[in-house]
Amino acid sequence: MASTTTFALDVAQRSLLEKGFFVLDDSLAGERISEMEERGFPYFTEYGLDFCKQFAFDERIRSILEASFEKCSLGHWLRYEDFPGHVECFRRGGPKAGRRVLMVHLWAKGSRVAYYVGSHLHDMATSRGRRSLYEIPLSELDRVGSEPEHKEFPDGGFVILDARLGFEIKQGYAITFLFAANEVLANWAKIILPHSEALEEKVSDMEKESTKIGLNFTFKASPGGGTTMKTETLVPMHIAES
């Protein structure tokens, strides 16, 4: 088992380095996303945190994150819907920016996306898009010779990618987790969860998954007036519907 895990990690790391993304096999992803949608995307619940733990802290994701960062934390939890005709990325700057943020795309059934191979390795001109992402002109992608690799997920899918990579969501949507090196998170706000002993217990269990991957959640004030804090800093659990 150890040799298989090591080989898989080596393959994933090489793909992330060279192509900018790696597709993970997961036959349950589409069904779980459909269930999440049917429930109305209840992120701030016990069910939502169980969902987060299953995918954001998947054993393969953990191994890639632990191999990529000295310390990192879950920074954003978003839902990106389709935006055909627009190539987007979360970070820009190419080699100068470095690989400091990794994204996990959980694709709903029937989704289609184009990942622009190697685009994470180039510093390109960008503009601010409509949903807090950078948009990359096709002329820039042509200039650096980045070609799209088209992926279809009739049954849903599971992908980890460099946050500098350009992608175009042609159809469907992706529930997205972003993990960032702790120095990147220094100026980000905290994720705020409702006060709940059950949720606090869930967070405590998730924190035990890895000594190198943080959550940095904070809870709303308790009925007694106090605020429960978990670990350090992080961004709000922002849900992008556009």
Side-chain angles (χ1 to χ4, degrees):
M1 180 65 70
S3 61
T4 301
T5 302
T6 301
F7 174 77
L9 177 59
D10 179 65
V11 172
Q13 287 285 77
R14 185 167 63 250
S15 183
L16 278 170
L17 178 65
E18 297 174 357
K19 297 175 64 175
F21 71 98
F22 182 71
V23 179
L24 296 131
D25 293 326
D26 197 309
S27 59
L28 298 177
E31 288 297 331
R32 285 301 310 274
I33 294 169
S34 294
E35 183 180 295
M36 173 69 103
E37 181 176 355
E38 289 170 2
R39 289 171 176 254
F41 300 102
Y43 299 99
F44 304 103
T45 64
E46 293 179 63
Y47 173 85
L49 291 187
D50 284 340
F51 182 96
C52 177
K53 181 179 179 180
Q54 178 181 358
F55 292 107
F57 286 85
D58 175 274
E59 182 180 359
R60 297 162 297 176
I61 297 297
R62 290 204 315 270
S63 66
I64 293 169
L65 292 171
E66 289 171 347
S68 300
F69 301 116
E70 181 177 346
K71 292 280 187 178
C72 70
S73 298
L74 176 62
H76 274 307
W77 183 0
L78 312 98
R79 176 159 57 96
Y80 290 130
E81 296 183 347
D82 53 2
F83 198 17
H86 298 263
V87 180
E88 304 172 291
C89 65
F90 184 80
R91 279 172 65 81
R92 61 180 179 175
K96 185 182 298 184
R99 188 170 74 181
R100 293 186 173 87
V101 182
L102 290 175
M103 305 176 75
V104 176
H105 279 165
L106 288 175
W107 290 104
K109 292 181 179 181
S111 295
R112 294 188 296 114
V113 60
Y115 291 112
Y116 279 78
V117 177
S119 57
H120 62 303
L121 301 175
H122 300 278
D123 187 4
M124 295 175 287
T126 62
S127 60
R128 272 290 184 180
R130 75 179 191 190
R131 53 184 181 188
S132 299
L133 292 173
Y134 295 104
E135 289 198 25
I136 309 172
L138 290 177
S139 59
E140 283 291 277
L141 293 160
D142 290 339
R143 178 179 65 81
V144 301
S146 176
E147 297 288 340
E149 186 168 319
H150 299 276
K151 297 293 181 182
E152 296 187 3
F153 299 102
D155 300 313
F158 197 18
V159 179
I160 184 167
L161 63 147
D162 191 308
R164 297 169 293 172
L165 189 77
F167 59 89
E168 178 190 357
I169 304 178
K170 295 177 174 291
Q171 180 176 302
Y173 66 85
I175 293 177
T176 303
F177 302 100
L178 288 103
F179 291 90
N182 282 358
E183 65 268 18
V184 174
L185 298 172
N187 297 317
W188 291 14
K190 297 176 177 66
I191 290 175
I192 302 174
L193 297 179
H195 172 74
S196 163
E197 290 185 6
L199 292 184
E200 289 188 27
E201 185 175 343
K202 291 283 185 186
V203 169
S204 179
D205 288 342
M206 291 169 69
E207 287 176 328
K208 297 172 185 176
E209 292 291 316
S210 173
T211 59
K212 297 183 69 174
I213 306 171
L215 291 169
N216 302 331
F217 293 164
T218 186
F219 290 88
K220 291 182 179 178
S222 66
T227 300
T228 304
M229 288 265 313
K230 291 290 181 182
T231 60
E232 303 161 21
T233 59
L234 209 59
V235 300
M237 195 174 281
H238 173 64
I239 311 302
E241 306 295 349
S242 59

